[in-house]
Amino acid sequence: MKKIGILGGMSWESTVTYYQLINRMVNQHFGGLHSADCLISSVNFEEIEQLQAQGEWEKAGEILKKEALNLEIAGAEGILLATNTMQKVAEQIEEKISVPFLHIVDAVAEEADHMEISRVGLLGTKYTLKLNFFTKRLSDQSIDSILPSDNQIEEINRIIFEELVQGELHNSSKDYFIKVMQELKQNGAEAIVLGCTEIGLLIKEDDFPLPLIDTTAVHAKKAIEWAIQ
């Protein structure tokens, strides 16, 4: 089994979920007392979030590529960036490391292709939804994205940063997400992508009639498939 390098902390709440999923999958595959061979680097999310808000993506990328290289030096044979929004700087990271970079959007596209779905409703931070790094990479793999309205994007972003990354789960916010998801369905979405690693803490598979693609879950799955192949 290859050693996975997890670059997390964005937020630490979802990094916990990654660690749990990856270890469960390894144990399910091998049985016994098997767990994942992995390394974790958890950054200070406050610093990263401030750079996001200021549009200083290159500076944020400098921090993350340094941490990714540290993981490689420590023995990681592949790097998993445990966040959707910061895939914005994936190319900066890939240029710095010599081991495989396991891109979260590729995991989403593979899952959608497996489900024979070509139009997805996308939820996430305002950066993920308004900048084109996520939707373009999906489009390059023949997956079209349907987005919430601008007002909905702002409220989703507020819920993510003021509640979910703090570990706060409110029924009113869950109801709001489901209302937005219903509109995405009406606009032609065949599945809903939970395109922020914290959304899966709030929205579960049985909460909505359409298939859900939880980026955290499919990313962890892709990492394990890579590690044990």
Side-chain angles (χ1 to χ4, degrees), residues 126-174:
K126 64 182 180 181
Y127 310 111
T128 299
L129 299 182
K130 291 190 172 183
L131 304 178
N132 73 350
F133 66 93
F134 198 107
T135 56
K136 183 180 185 304
R137 196 173 181 103
L138 279 181
S139 178
D140 289 344
Q141 299 179 69
S142 301
I143 309 294
D144 293 328
S145 302
I146 301 172
L147 305 181
S149 68
D150 286 345
N151 288 339
Q152 289 171 337
I153 289 172
E154 290 299 323
E155 177 60 11
I156 289 168
N157 192 75
R158 185 199 67 77
I159 292 170
I160 290 170
F161 282 100
E162 294 184 11
E163 299 175 16
L164 301 186
V165 300
Q166 306 289 344
E168 297 181 14
L169 307 177
H170 300 306
N171 287 333
S172 59
S173 296
K174 183 174 186 174

Side-chain angles (χ1 to χ4, degrees), residues 9-201:
M10 299 162 281
S11 68
W12 68 264
E13 288 280 353
S14 62
T15 304
V16 170
T17 304
Y18 266 96
Y19 185 71
Q20 290 175 331
L21 286 172
I22 287 172
N23 279 285
R24 285 178 188 149
M25 290 177 189
V26 168
N27 186 258
Q28 287 169 3
H29 182 82
F30 291 107
L33 298 177
H34 284 282
S35 57
D37 188 2
C38 66
L39 299 167
I40 299 176
S41 175
S42 186
V43 301
N44 181 357
F45 191 34
E46 175 69 20
E47 184 177 8
I48 298 297
E49 195 280 328
Q50 289 297 320
L51 292 172
Q52 289 177 350
Q54 295 163 13
E56 298 281 1
W57 295 99
E58 187 172 350
K59 287 184 179 179
E62 288 294 319
I63 294 171
L64 296 187
K65 76 180 186 181
K66 178 181 178 182
E67 293 302 320
L69 182 59
N70 287 340
L71 285 169
E72 180 180 348
I73 292 170
E77 298 170 84
I79 303 295
L80 180 154
L81 179 57
T83 167
N84 287 272
T85 297
M86 293 313 297
Q87 304 289 323
K88 174 78 169 62
V89 301
E91 290 184 5
Q92 276 183 262
I93 295 172
E94 288 179 287
E95 289 172 358
K96 189 69 173 180
I97 61 177
S98 59
V99 296
F101 179 84
L102 309 176
H103 203 294
I104 200 168
V105 179
D106 295 342
V108 172
E110 287 176 16
E111 185 70 12
D113 184 63
H114 176 73
M115 298 165 69
E116 298 184 344
I117 285 170
S118 60
R119 300 187 75 196
V120 299
L122 180 60
L123 302 175
T125 68
K126 64 182 180 181
Y127 310 111
T128 299
L129 299 182
K130 291 190 172 183
L131 304 178
N132 73 350
F133 66 93
F134 198 107
T135 56
K136 183 180 185 304
R137 196 173 181 103
L138 279 181
S139 178
D140 289 344
Q141 299 179 69
S142 301
I143 309 294
D144 293 328
S145 302
I146 301 172
L147 305 181
S149 68
D150 286 345
N151 288 339
Q152 289 171 337
I153 289 172
E154 290 299 323
E155 177 60 11
I156 289 168
N157 192 75
R158 185 199 67 77
I159 292 170
I160 290 170
F161 282 100
E162 294 184 11
E163 299 175 16
L164 301 186
V165 300
Q166 306 289 344
E168 297 181 14
L169 307 177
H170 300 306
N171 287 333
S172 59
S173 296
K174 183 174 186 174
D175 291 343
Y176 186 81
F177 269 81
I178 291 174
K179 177 184 175 183
V180 173
M181 291 158 66
Q182 184 62 43
E183 290 188 23
L184 294 174
K185 178 185 176 184
Q186 292 171 352
N187 290 335
E190 301 168 290
I192 305 295
V193 174
L194 308 183
C196 172
T197 51
E198 285 80 24
I199 297 177
L201 301 173

